[in-house]
Every structure is written in C-alpha cells, then in structure tokens.
Amino acid sequence: DQQVKQNSPSLSVQEGRISILNCDYTNSMFDYFLWYKKYPAEGPTFLISISSIKDKNEDGRFTVFLNKSAKHLSLHIVPSQPGDSAVYFCAASARNTGTASKLTFGTGTRLQVTL
Amino acid sequence: NAGVTQTPKFQVLKTGQSMTLQCAQDMNHEYMSWYRQDPGMGLRLIHYSVGAGITDQGEVPNGYNVSRSTTEDFPLRLLSAAPSQTSVYFCASSEQGWSGNTIYFGEGSWLTVV
C-alpha cells in the first residue's frame, strides 16, 4: 500500500522552462510534506517543505503547492537549470501523531533538464 | 550531509553472513533512523530511535536489528544476510521538533548480498 505516490518516473524539461513534479498521498494523517533531491551516489538533500496549514511555500526558484482536499502536492522549479537534473522524492510525515521523524517517501521522479 | 557518517560505503556479503552498518552523528540529535532504497521504490523505513535506549520498527524491519546505546551511534545489524537485502542504506538524524531542513541523511551504504 503506497501511501505516497509519484506517478511519473521521469520528466524531461528544457533549460529555462518550468518543471512540475507531482505527488499524491492517501493517508489523511499526514500533516507535513517535504521534497528531497538526490544525486547518484549521494544521500537525499532537503529542498523545500510545507505544513498542512499552508497551501503554498516558496524558496527562490522552488515552490511547493499543497491541495489538501485532493491530497496532492506539486513542486514547481522555475526556471529549470541543468544542475537541477536529479531524482526528486516527495515525502510525508504525521508530525502531530507522535511518530517522531518517520518519513514516508514516494518512488521518486527523475528530472532531466536539457540544454 | 554534514554530521551523519555511515560506514562502510560499499560491502559485498555472502548469503548467511552477518555484518553491521555503522551510523554516527555529532549533532546531539535525538532521532535517528535507517532507510533502504531499492530500484523503482522510494526510501523505506527499517528501524528508528527516538533516543538512547529506545528503538522501534519501521515499515520493513524483518532481517534487521538495531540498538541505541549512545545518542551518537545507531548501528544496523544484518544477522544472516539474504540476497533480498541487497540495497542502498541511508541513515538519518534529526532533532526534536524537527523541520525539513534539520533532517540530515548520510551518504549511503551500498550492500550487495551474493
């Protein structure tokens, strides 16, 4: 039972254009959502997060949108750069249920930014 | 990946052998956890700890053992390795009241069981 789903295993975008990565979740107890970026042979690195009390969070070129009614979030990268090429993982947590730092990850989307 | 150190980075084991993956953090974090990553799947939680002396199972705990005798260390033990445990393993740590940018992952340990 995949509680966090990233239905697009890969995405190719031209440099300078917008990249939109999508994530769906099923567990209504999730109240905190994160995006991680992962390069080959490295650990995941934090990119941006959003609490369920918000519907948008922005950090430079990265914006995360949360639609709680649809149990859907998306990561927008504008403009996309070649260095953004990596695997992006969506993760979720139920922080208010006393489950500490347990994260549930999606399967990842491989983003390729082409010149 | 500052502050979370995993060893070894690469290991090849024979079926039935035992080994320990080491994880250490120097940030005095209370929470530590182990994940495994397999092709086509996200990171899945194996075991986690909320402090020294306290551990609990995650999503895929079978075949693994953990202990937390100190705040700094959280080793993951494979008692009898199986080919299904071939994976990349990541250790993570975070403080109480964590937010996204205060969860730190190690660089990963690549384990192959033949």
Side-chain angles (χ1 to χ4, degrees), chain A residues 75-106:
Chain A
L75 174 68
H76 293 210
I77 306 174
V78 183
S80 301
Q81 299 175 352
D84 295 330
S85 296
V87 177
Y88 289 78
F89 289 100
C90 172
S93 175
R95 292 186 67 189
N96 293 333
T97 61
T99 53
S101 55
K102 292 171 67 174
L103 298 177
T104 301
F105 284 83

Side-chain angles (χ1 to χ4, degrees), chain A residues 1-2 32 34 36 38 40-46 49 87 89 93 95 98-108, chain B residues 1 9 31-33 35 37 40-43 45 48 50 57-58 90 94 97-101 103 105-108 110:
Chain A
D1 178 28
Q2 191 76 21
Y32 192 72
L34 309 88
Y36 281 88
K38 186 181 179 304
E42 293 185 9
T45 54
F46 171 75
S49 62
V87 177
F89 289 100
S93 175
R95 292 186 67 189
T99 53
S101 55
K102 292 171 67 174
L103 298 177
T104 301
F105 284 83
T107 53
Chain B
N1 300 330
K9 195 167 180 72
Y31 301 149
M32 296 186 74
S33 48
Y35 293 84
Q37 186 194 4
M41 306 190 76
L43 281 73
L45 183 64
Y48 67 99
V50 301
Q57 295 181 350
F90 293 98
S94 56
W98 59 272
S99 60
N101 61 356
I103 302 175
F105 282 85
E107 294 189 337
W110 274 253

Side-chain angles (χ1 to χ4, degrees), chain A residues 56-76:
Chain A
K56 177 183 174 181
N57 189 27
E58 197 170 349
D59 184 3
R61 296 185 298 115
F62 303 93
T63 303
V64 55
F65 296 91
L66 175 62
N67 182 333
K68 287 187 292 294
S69 61
K71 292 190 175 67
H72 176 83
L73 61 155
S74 60
L75 174 68
H76 293 210

Side-chain angles (χ1 to χ4, degrees), chain B residues 20-32:
Chain B
T20 300
L21 298 177
Q22 302 289 347
C23 177
Q25 53 92 6
D26 59 2
M27 298 170 281
N28 203 33
H29 284 169
E30 291 190 352
Y31 301 149
M32 296 186 74

